[in-house]
Amino acid sequence: MTTAPSATRAPSAAPPRPRRAVDWRVRFAALSLIWGFSFLLIKVGTGAYAPFQVTLGRLVFGTAVLAAAMAMKRQRLPRGARTWAHLTVAALLLNALPFSLFAYAELTIPSTLAGICNATSPLWGMALSLVALSEDRPTRLRVAGLGIGFLGVLTVLGAWQGFAGLDATGTAMALLASLSYPVGWIYVRRTLAGAPDSHLSLTGAQLLLATVQLAIVTPLFTSAPTAFPLVPLLAVAALGALGTGVAVLLQYGLVAEVGPTTGQMVTYFIPVIATAAGVALLGEPLAWSTPVGAAIVLAGAALTQMRPKAREQRR
């Protein structure tokens, strides 16, 4: 989300940053684990509930956590029809659509593959930013990273084998979900930059709108479950409360404390944790091409996030 504008102050007048009770490295590790295990939780949830139902439950629990945080900090929802209109689009692109696509994808593909597909978001983001953001100019290193990253995707998918044994529909859904995130980020950056509302307020409203969207769609495509198995229900609750609500709070805290560059490094740990969890806890198969391709994807994604030095930017 966007950063609220603040007045410029002299260095001597800047208040000291409050010390966090928990070191940022611990919170970084917790965020990596939460998001890494999210794909396993989706797999468990879709074992008993329809994908739209899993997504709706995820959003309900996630919104509840954000609502509690807003109440504790005495923050209100944003005002203004324009802001709510833009947040409605952001809710679709950043929450309702990708969450649903991942849930449907994991009906036919392993959670390990879904986690690796999620790691392609920086690649899609870099490609889109070259077109949509005039200030984000390409460099040779970043273009090379884009090519390397998509080479890694082909390695994960086993392109030399003709994608044998791969569910094309499920994989395409997972890749579309990862594409939806940077589309949403660019939209938010172009429409809500400089909004006076806080991150927490905007995100709370966004999750609320996504919940409403799924509450409308879910009854149209699914029937109410006749039973509520405990383990899948707990998986959905954890996916929403931890993987959406708590994770968002951790992410914004990290970005505020150590900056966006370090904060976004969590992206590179998610597929590693998702793969380990899927193999160890769900018994999913692991071919050599999966970890090798994932490493190539992460290397390419890291290159796409590199920015030119200050001297080159001034030049």
Side-chain angles (χ1 to χ4, degrees):
M1 304 302 292
T2 53
T3 303
S6 58
T8 303
R9 299 181 179 181
S12 59
R17 283 185 180 178
R19 293 182 61 86
R20 300 276 183 172
V22 181
D23 185 80
W24 73 266
R25 297 170 186 83
V26 176
R27 287 178 281 125
F28 183 97
L31 182 59
S32 301
L33 287 171
I34 290 172
W35 272 341
F37 271 87
S38 292
F39 297 95
L40 180 147
L41 295 175
I42 292 172
K43 193 73 170 179
V44 174
T46 53
Y49 304 105
F52 275 141
Q53 293 170 350
V54 171
T55 304
L56 177 58
R58 175 181 188 174
L59 288 168
V60 167
F61 284 104
T63 302
V65 171
L66 267 293
M70 290 178 63
M72 290 178 61
K73 295 189 176 183
R74 299 182 179 180
Q75 293 194 15
R76 296 180 178 179
L77 291 172
R79 297 180 180 180
R82 178 181 175 276
T83 299
W84 279 92
H86 289 315
L87 285 173
T88 300
V89 179
L92 175 65
L93 295 174
L94 291 172
N95 302 114
L97 180 59
F99 290 179
S100 299
L101 285 172
F102 272 125
Y104 270 100
E106 291 200 38
L107 290 176
T108 55
I109 67 173
S111 64
T112 55
L113 179 56
I116 293 171
C117 287
N118 180 76
T120 64
S121 281
L123 303 178
W124 296 118
M126 187 267 181
L128 291 171
S129 67
L130 298 181
V131 178
L133 301 174
S134 58
E135 70 273 16
D136 213 357
R137 298 181 179 180
T139 63
R140 292 180 181 179
L141 193 61
R142 299 181 71 195
V143 172
L146 187 63
I148 291 171
F150 284 113
L151 177 63
V153 173
L154 294 177
T155 303
V156 171
L157 302 182
W160 66 92
Q161 298 175 340
F163 307 105
L166 185 72
D167 184 79
T169 302
T171 305
M173 285 183 176
L175 290 173
L176 283 174
S178 69
L179 171 61
S180 183
Y181 289 126
V183 172
W185 296 330
I186 291 174
Y187 178 84
V188 168
R189 184 171 170 180
R190 294 176 69 93
T191 59
L192 290 171
D197 306 285
S198 68
H199 289 309
L200 181 58
S201 176
L202 290 170
T203 306
Q206 180 181 305
L207 285 181
L208 176 61
L209 288 167
T211 304
V212 172
Q213 292 169 357
L214 261 294
I216 295 173
V217 171
T218 301
L220 299 178
F221 294 94
T222 66
S223 56
T226 57
F228 295 89
L230 181 59
V231 173
L233 183 61
L234 291 176
V236 173
L239 180 65
L242 296 177
T244 303
V246 173
V248 167
L249 298 176
L250 286 174
Q251 182 192 31
Y252 285 143
L254 285 170
V255 170
E257 183 172 351
V258 299
T261 301
T262 302
Q264 72 183 2
M265 290 295 291
V266 69
T267 304
Y268 308 122
F269 291 86
I270 293 173
V272 178
I273 296 170
T275 300
V279 173
L281 300 179
L282 297 179
E284 295 179 343
L286 183 66
W288 68 266
S289 57
T290 300
V292 171
I296 298 173
V297 168
L298 295 178
L303 290 177
T304 64
Q305 301 307 301
M306 297 187 69
R307 296 293 188 270
K309 296 180 181 179
R311 180 188 299 179
E312 295 177 0
Q313 289 180 336
R314 289 194 298 270
R315 188 177 299 172

